[in-house]
Amino acid sequence: MVQPDKYIIGVDFGTLSVRSTVVRVSDGFEKGTASEVYKHGVMDTHLTASKGEVLPPDFALQVPADYLEAFQKSVREAVANSGVVVRHIIGIGIDFTSSTVLATDDKGIPLCEYPEFTHRPHAYAKLWKHHGGNEQAHRLLKVAQERNESWLPRYGGLLSSELLLPKVLETFEKDREVYDKASFFVNALDWINWLLTGKLVYAGADSGFKRHYQDDKYPDAEYLEAVSPGFGNVYKDKMSGPIQPLGSKAGELTPKMAEWLGINPGISVSVGNIDAHVTAAAIQAVKPGIMTAILGTSACYIVSGPEFKEVPGMLGITYGGIADGLWCFEAGQSAFGDILAWFIKNGVTEEYKKEAEEQGLSLHNYLTKKAAVQEIGQHGLIALDWHNGNRSILCDHNLSGMILGQTLTTRPEDIYRALMESCAFGARKIIETMKVHGVEIKEIVAAGGLLKNKWLMQLLSDVTRIPLSITEATMVGALGSAIYGAVAAGCYETIEEASEAMGSKVPNVYKPHESRSLKYDQLYKEYLILHDYFGTGENQVMSRLKKIKEEAVKDKF
């Protein structure tokens, strides 16, 4: 008798929506997919889930109930679309944006669902790009440097407000009542699994990258107390629980959650993962020297290596961050596609919009078409890709974007191309920093929404001088989560084995052209001058402008 195929559900919680897929274990074939957007999206100016209270600058909050509503709908729809017999689904794996942090009670209920906290911003989920804890991140870094904390090199010698600790410290200092009421502070990927299994298990890789868990321990209480009196026992009091590695089984699906999702109880639930990181398994980029580039609203770059290397400006360096036995290096750009979307929204004339519509093109495609016919450097511009701060290598969210060289003859396509080039230059700076410090990078495998812009992908290969591979998977994050779910369910022994069987990659689709690379080298030199001048302390005008802005609006709060 032929054994029936087995399937895993992969679920990818992104910034604006959740995507689910039902994946065949034997070859990674996606039988059914679905996606659902979050009702309230990102609350970054007003607390729309309450009475529309104005939020301070740099906030980015979400409503946890939105995650669950979209989760349920997308899983049920994906299963229905797949036509798979439910009893053949043997496991589920999830990933989530990180570090997205929730304050909950002892049962996992987010504090924003308590009536007394519905109007309190710090009771809501703080999205990965919430930068309200910038000041806390700088103070955490300063004290760590003064004390020469051993874990600091694992974060490139710098600390980002996108990590968990600054977000929790911000709550401790800005809304002590919410902090005291919270039984747990959890990253959302652990929170979802807590609800699915009834057990709180912290993911080892996420703990290393985002929660300062290195060499089997957290930062010590003495350090944390030096940062802020009373904060020393935050890990003991607010984040106690077992930590498990990637590919392990966090627990089994409870009957309550099985009924809610429309699948069978008792199936395997794998330890959660970071949304960007699961991509490596989905695109066969687990092995050392192959960089995963997730190019969407922001950009995330991860690559494995056999040895620890101290690389400045990394967002995180973690053992077992993608697979057992390998070190994983992570860096990124806080904005990539977001920069292009910002310009489309704010910098395009009605004339261009009309022309694009007449040609049946989106504004992105229209501007790319016009920019692509230019000679390299013809626009006379250079830009800095810091419109949402700098995640790597400078790790400073007080930095801001800039376009230099504009004249009265500058056209929208000039600016659009300069912004695309700045994103590629930012990626090159990250790659070169890794390589200089001993991390091998011989191939880039790209995933994400920006793959559809083929001209931009060629630009990235030309600027970095590295071949660029792509994937044909439709839901890369969800597929990656399913691959880790397959390992947790016992279908494969290792992540590498599962990735080779279930992942998808088309090698070397874009190759660098030396003549173009040489011309981009000239622009990149100018980018580096501006990068260092504004980013390393020679001229702190961007930080000063941000303080002036904050002073101008502080009376509202």
Side-chain angles (χ1 to χ4, degrees), residues 384-554:
L384 291 174
D385 52 311
W386 301 342
H387 293 63
N388 198 27
N390 179 282
R391 184 188 296 169
S392 304
I393 298 297
L394 301 169
C395 198
D396 186 350
H397 294 289
N398 285 320
L399 297 174
S400 50
M402 188 187 73
I403 304 170
L404 181 67
Q406 296 180 94
T407 71
L408 294 178
T409 62
T410 300
R411 305 294 295 164
E413 62 266 29
D414 301 333
I415 299 173
Y416 191 75
R417 176 165 179 153
L419 291 172
M420 285 194 285
E421 290 170 349
S422 76
C423 291
F425 294 151
R428 176 171 170 177
K429 176 62 177 177
I430 289 169
I431 290 167
E432 288 188 348
T433 302
M434 288 186 178
K435 292 172 74 173
V436 164
H437 290 85
V439 179
E440 181 187 26
I441 301 171
K442 58 187 178 183
E443 177 189 4
I444 299 173
V445 190
L450 291 180
L451 258 65
K452 58 190 175 186
N453 191 321
K454 297 180 180 179
W455 188 85
L456 178 57
M457 295 302 101
Q458 183 61 57
L459 167 68
L460 185 60
S461 181
D462 289 337
V463 167
T464 61
R465 279 191 170 88
I466 299 174
L468 187 69
S469 304
I470 64 171
T471 180
E472 293 182 334
T474 57
M475 289 191 172
V476 179
L479 172 59
S481 283
I483 290 172
Y484 283 95
V487 177
C491 302
Y492 295 95
E493 291 187 6
T494 67
I495 300 299
E496 293 91 336
E497 183 184 349
S499 175
E500 285 299 314
M502 299 174 67
S504 165
K505 180 171 76 171
V506 184
N508 302 331
V509 174
Y510 303 95
K511 297 179 180 180
H513 290 244
E514 182 62 17
S515 61
R516 293 198 293 261
S517 297
L518 286 170
K519 293 178 182 179
Y520 281 125
D521 284 347
Q522 294 178 298
L523 291 176
Y524 181 62
K525 288 179 181 178
E526 303 302 330
Y527 173 90
L528 290 180
I529 292 171
L530 295 179
H531 177 282
D532 293 345
Y533 181 67
F534 288 107
T536 60
E538 289 189 59
N539 190 334
Q540 298 183 25
V541 61
M542 293 176 177
S543 294
R544 293 196 298 271
L545 287 174
K546 192 162 190 175
K547 288 181 180 179
I548 292 171
K549 176 182 177 181
E550 291 171 352
E551 286 294 322
V553 300
K554 72 177 184 179

Side-chain angles (χ1 to χ4, degrees), residues 41-353:
V42 179
M43 299 182 292
D44 51 11
T45 59
H46 295 78
L47 195 64
T48 54
S50 178
K51 297 180 180 179
E53 294 90 341
V54 177
L55 293 172
D58 298 319
F59 268 50
L61 308 178
Q62 292 193 307
V63 181
D66 291 352
Y67 301 147
L68 298 183
E69 180 181 357
F71 178 33
Q72 182 190 39
K73 289 180 179 178
S74 69
V75 168
R76 283 182 170 271
E77 185 177 344
V79 172
N81 291 341
S82 73
V84 167
V85 177
V86 170
R87 69 174 179 274
H88 295 160
I89 298 173
I90 64 170
I92 185 169
I94 71 105
D95 65 77
F96 216 111
T97 61
S98 186
S99 178
T100 295
V101 181
L102 292 83
T104 78
D105 66 11
D106 60 353
K107 295 180 176 60
I109 298 173
L111 294 193
C112 61
E113 296 183 11
Y114 280 62
E116 64 267 35
F117 292 133
T118 56
H119 65 291
R120 306 275 275 274
H122 294 282
Y124 286 82
K126 293 183 178 181
L127 186 60
W128 65 270
K129 64 178 180 177
H130 173 87
H131 296 152
N134 274 335
E135 190 275 329
Q136 284 75 17
H138 286 304
R139 191 151 26 96
L140 284 160
L141 174 61
K142 181 180 178 182
V143 177
Q145 290 172 332
E146 291 171 350
R147 290 170 50 87
N148 195 28
E149 291 290 331
S150 62
W151 47 262
L152 190 56
R154 303 286 176 86
Y155 302 91
L158 298 168
L159 293 181
S160 168
S161 59
E162 294 181 6
L163 301 174
L164 172 138
L165 202 54
K167 293 181 171 84
V168 177
L169 178 57
E170 180 195 17
T171 302
F172 176 79
E173 295 181 336
K174 299 296 185 180
D175 195 333
R176 189 60 178 271
E177 188 176 358
V178 168
Y179 179 87
D180 288 342
K181 180 70 173 179
S183 297
F184 292 96
F185 284 93
V186 291
N187 276 347
L189 59 89
D190 295 322
W191 178 67
I192 292 292
N193 273 358
W194 185 5
L195 301 183
L196 292 177
T197 65
K199 300 187 301 181
L200 176 56
V201 173
Y202 290 101
D206 179 74
S207 294
F209 280 110
K210 310 296 183 180
R211 297 175 60 244
H212 288 78
Y213 187 78
Q214 296 285 350
D215 298 325
D216 300 324
K217 61 182 179 181
Y218 294 111
D220 61 50
E222 184 179 339
Y223 157 70
L224 296 169
E225 196 68 21
V227 173
S228 189
F231 193 63
N233 289 325
V234 61
Y235 286 106
K236 177 183 177 182
D237 294 343
K238 305 291 184 178
M239 286 180 267
S240 61
I243 297 173
Q244 292 184 198
L246 289 180
S248 65
K249 183 176 174 181
E252 296 179 347
L253 190 65
T254 66
K256 177 182 178 181
M257 294 303 290
E259 181 180 2
W260 184 69
L261 291 172
I263 53 181
N264 287 348
I267 66 172
S268 170
V269 179
S270 66
V271 164
N273 204 343
I274 301 168
D275 61 333
H277 292 200
V278 295
T279 304
I283 61 179
Q284 298 178 345
V286 174
K287 296 178 180 178
I290 305 176
M291 171 174 275
T292 298
I294 304 96
L295 306 175
T297 55
S298 63
C300 181
Y301 307 99
I302 52 177
V303 62
S304 289
E307 298 176 343
F308 171 75
K309 302 290 183 180
E310 188 171 323
V311 185
M314 294 296 96
L315 191 59
I317 306 171
T318 297
Y319 186 72
I322 294 179
D324 289 341
L326 296 173
W327 288 89
C328 181
F329 302 81
E330 178 191 6
Q333 292 163 276
S334 293
F336 201 104
D338 266 356
I339 298 176
L340 305 179
W342 161 80
F343 182 72
I344 289 291
K345 182 178 180 180
N346 297 286
V348 181
T349 65
E350 288 300 322
E351 175 191 356
Y352 274 49
K353 293 176 182 177

Side-chain angles (χ1 to χ4, degrees), residues 30-42:
E30 296 170 291
K31 288 284 288 185
T33 63
S35 63
E36 289 287 336
V37 299
Y38 305 137
K39 179 179 178 181
H40 294 90
V42 179

